[in-house]
């Protein structure tokens, strides 16, 4: 490690146990879990985890805080969110450092993506707190007037994934609180540093119990919270298996559940695409955050006329990507999150190579240099001529691995694109409006990107996955329930 990185004052953030926030108190005593850095597999710190009694205490405090929080005006709730945004902005460099060290996210990715997304979510939902929605309809009887009110559930549990612990957490927390619920946030056991740190910064800002941050393993702490009878609504961002588990664990209580799950997102590149645009966005779509993005474009379906040129250019981009220490400004891609995930990704790569699932065009070999062999680094890996039914073209790898499949036509591309259990995101590169519109109509996914990958608008136009990629509502509305109110008047309504 360079001297500048060794002497970075922010290492001191990890000297103390990172806390949980329970009943307004920062908890650091009791059991802890190690923070193992993805960049060099070193234990660099620890975070507090609860026992069963602490989880019960946290839910009880949240429940107690719920009525008063719901009774505040939207303006008042919004002001709290804006305060949190200010505090986060003042500590932006700390968040960059913690996510880089903990999960290997490049500091620049946190600075230019995760932080702005988090801050804009706080500002956006601070405003939305003043307008929860509701409407009035003509019910067909002049003596009866109608209006609907959107009301909070009370105690909402949000279970977070590890791939974007800060922005997914802050965005969801802001929506939950704006809607008038209290929030219990459960970061992933693989990525607890940044959210625990946030808890330590905002503990004094919110009334006790309004925000709870509870760390710990999903199978133990997550499951206890999910099953807790005083948790009214459960929202999870994670894998399908976990989603199924949550549905099973809440079924007997008929609990409200929202699931944002995985994807194996098709990216169609037609002969008439602008190649510079298609290569640039496809590279970003495949390898951003080391491919650990739920909406990444991990299977690319390329029309034969440009297949050779497109694949040569994508391979060149993959091979020139700066893969290295996430703490360095120059790094474009860091390591993957941890040992199990690293093993899973290599399992897919090794199996694809040994069973001839397409030809290996880039990556696919373990790093041997000192820096990258010390951490959980996987090179940007491209497989060409992959048959659509191969394992690497069907299963969510959630790593920097992309498949290229040649297709003859848009119709063939759409058929392959939709032949999946997933339906999270999709995209097409073409200069034909007709082809773009046809794809937009026929792709079975909650998002369609045309001539780009990723897009702003997650707040204003939140998406829900199709098929097994999601269920249970989007945006702030998923944290609200609708009450219809019917009033019989003695005079016709409106007169
Ligand atoms: P995961 O399912 O392993 O874990 C997600 C969270 O669930 C963690 O906090 C974990 O502790 C918790 N958990 C695990 N078992 C639990 C249980 N029995 N009860 C309660 N909680 C439990 O997912 P991950 O590996 O952290 O994230 C990767 C997955 O998330 C990928 O499939 C990815 O596509 C998906 N993802 C989806 C979106 C989206 O918006 N749709 C966003 C990010 C990630």
């Amino acid at each position: 490690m360079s001297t500048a990185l060794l002497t970075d004052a922010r290492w001191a953030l990890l000297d103390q146990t990172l806390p949980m926030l329970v009943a307004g108190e920062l908890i650091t005593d009791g059991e802890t879990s190690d923070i193992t850095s993805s960049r060099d597999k070193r234990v660099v710190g620890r975070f507090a985890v609860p026992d069963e009694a602490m989880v019960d205490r946290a839910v009880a405090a949240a429940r107690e805080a719920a009525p008063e929080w719901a009774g505040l005006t939207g303006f008042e709730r919004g002001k709290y969110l804006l305060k949190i945004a200010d505090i986060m902005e003042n500590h932006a460099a700390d968040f960059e450092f913690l996510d880089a060290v903990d999960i290997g996210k490049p500091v620049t990715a946190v600075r230019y993506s995760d932080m702005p997304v988090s801050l804009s979510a706080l500002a956006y939902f601070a405003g939305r707190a003043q307008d929860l929605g509701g409407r009035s309809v003509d019910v067909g009887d002049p003596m009866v007037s109608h209006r609907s009110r959107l009301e909070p559930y009370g105690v909402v549990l949000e279970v977070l994934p590890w791939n974007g612990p800060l922005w997914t957490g802050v965005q969801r927390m802001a929506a939950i609180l704006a809607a008038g619920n209290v929030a219990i946030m459960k970061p992933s056991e693989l990525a607890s540093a940044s959210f625990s740190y946030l808890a330590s910064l905002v503990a004094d800002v919110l009334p006790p119990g309004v925000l709870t941050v509870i760390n710990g393993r999903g199978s133990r702490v997550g499951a206890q919270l999910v099953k807790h009878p005083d948790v009214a609504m459960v929202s999870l961002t994670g894998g399908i298996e976990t989603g199924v588990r949550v549905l099973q664990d809440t079924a007997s209580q008929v609990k409200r559940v929202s699931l944002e799950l995985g994807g194996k997102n098709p990216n169609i590149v037609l002969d008439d695409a602008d190649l510079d645009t298609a290569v640039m966005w496809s590279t970003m779509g495949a390898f951003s955050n080391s491919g650990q993005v739920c909406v990444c474009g991990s299977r690319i379906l390329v029309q034969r006329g440009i297949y050779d040129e497109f694949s040569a250019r994508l391979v060149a981009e993959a091979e020139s990507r700066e893969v290295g220490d996430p703490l360095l400004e120059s790094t474009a891609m860091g390591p993957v999150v941890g040992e199990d995930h690293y093993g899973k990704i290599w399992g897919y790569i090794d199996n694809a190579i040994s069973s001839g699932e397409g030809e290996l065009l880039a990556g696919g070999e373990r790093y041997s240099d000192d820096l990258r062999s010390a951490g959980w680094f996987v090179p940007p890996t491209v497989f060409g001529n992959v048959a659509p039914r191969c394992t690497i073209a069907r299963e969510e790898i959630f790593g920097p691995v992309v498949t290229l499949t040649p297709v003859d036509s848009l119709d063939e591309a759409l058929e392959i694109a939709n032949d999946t259990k997933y339906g999270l995101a999709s995209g097409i590169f073409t200069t034909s409006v007709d082809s773009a519109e046809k794809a937009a109509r026929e792709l079975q996914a909650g998002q369609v990107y045309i001539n780009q990958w990723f897009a702003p608008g997650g707040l204003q136009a939140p998406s829900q996955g199709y098929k097994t990629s999601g269920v249970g509502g989007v945006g702030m509305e998923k944290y609200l329930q609708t009450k219809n109110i019917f009033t019989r008047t003695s005079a016709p309504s409106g007169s």
Side-chain angles (χ1 to χ4, degrees), residues 217-232:
R217 288 204 164 274
S219 52
R220 182 170 75 77
V221 178
Q224 189 189 343
L225 285 163
V226 163
K227 292 177 199 163
H228 201 294
D230 290 336
V231 170

Side-chain angles (χ1 to χ4, degrees), residues 263-423:
K264 184 74 182 179
N265 309 297
N267 170 6
I268 299 172
V269 183
L270 296 185
D271 282 347
D272 64 4
D274 177 294
L275 214 52
D276 290 343
T277 306
V279 170
M280 191 264 284
W281 286 107
S282 299
T283 307
M284 205 187 276
F287 302 125
S288 291
N289 202 28
S290 303
Q292 303 165 117
V293 185
C294 55
V295 293
C296 72
S298 50
R299 53 190 177 116
I300 310 183
L301 312 172
V302 192
Q303 206 168 1
R304 282 187 201 279
I306 52 154
Y307 180 85
D308 288 342
E309 194 179 349
F310 178 86
S311 63
R313 290 184 57 178
L314 188 84
V315 164
E317 289 290 331
E319 287 177 339
S320 63
R321 217 161 167 74
E322 194 65 45
V323 181
D325 190 337
L327 284 173
L328 292 176
E329 298 283 324
S330 55
T331 295
M333 208 177 101
V336 300
V337 70
E339 185 162 22
D340 290 352
H341 195 52
Y342 177 84
K344 181 186 144 189
I345 295 169
W346 278 112
Y348 278 113
I349 295 174
D350 293 343
N351 179 57
I353 293 171
S354 63
S355 56
E357 290 194 345
E359 34 174 324
L360 180 65
L361 301 178
E365 262 182 57
R366 285 157 180 82
Y367 287 112
S368 53
D369 58 281
D370 287 352
L371 182 119
R372 291 176 295 190
S373 60
W376 286 301
F377 287 88
V378 180
T381 296
V382 181
F383 285 93
N385 282 314
V386 177
R389 294 233 140 225
C390 286
T391 307
I392 40 164
R394 293 189 74 74
E395 294 187 11
E396 185 188 41
I397 300 173
F398 218 56
V401 182
V402 70
T403 61
L404 298 175
T405 299
V407 293
D408 287 318
S409 63
L410 174 57
D411 282 330
E412 187 191 0
L414 289 169
E415 200 180 314
I416 296 170
N418 289 333
D419 181 22
T420 171
K421 65 181 178 181
Y422 294 107

Side-chain angles (χ1 to χ4, degrees), residues 9-57:
R10 293 172 295 179
W11 285 106
L13 294 169
L14 293 163
D15 285 349
Q16 311 292 325
T17 300
L18 286 166
M20 297 183 291
L21 177 58
V22 172
E25 259 181 67
L26 290 173
I27 310 284
T28 50
D29 49 358
E31 224 184 297
T32 61
S33 251
D34 287 343
I35 298 172
T36 306
S37 177
S38 315
R39 53 195 282 281
D40 56 8
K41 307 181 195 173
R42 270 191 320 127
V43 173
V44 290
R46 61 202 176 278
F47 56 87
V49 292
D51 58 16
E52 257 184 58
M54 182 65 75
V55 173
D56 284 339
R57 187 179 157 215

Side-chain angles (χ1 to χ4, degrees), residues 157 159-164 167-168 172 186-190 216-226 234 236-243 245-246 249 259-263 292-295 337 341 344 396 398 422 424 463 465 469-470:
L157 167 66
V159 185
L160 298 175
W162 48 256
N163 63 326
W167 78 263
T168 57
R172 285 141 178 84
K186 211 295 283 165
S188 165
E189 56 271 42
L190 299 177
R217 288 204 164 274
S219 52
R220 182 170 75 77
V221 178
Q224 189 189 343
L225 285 163
V226 163
V234 176
L236 163 85
T237 303
I240 288 186
E241 272 177 34
T242 313
R245 196 59 207 250
V246 166
D249 283 350
L259 305 175
E260 298 191 28
L261 306 176
Q292 303 165 117
V293 185
C294 55
V295 293
V337 70
H341 195 52
K344 181 186 144 189
E396 185 188 41
F398 218 56
Y422 294 107
L424 196 59
S463 302
S469 290

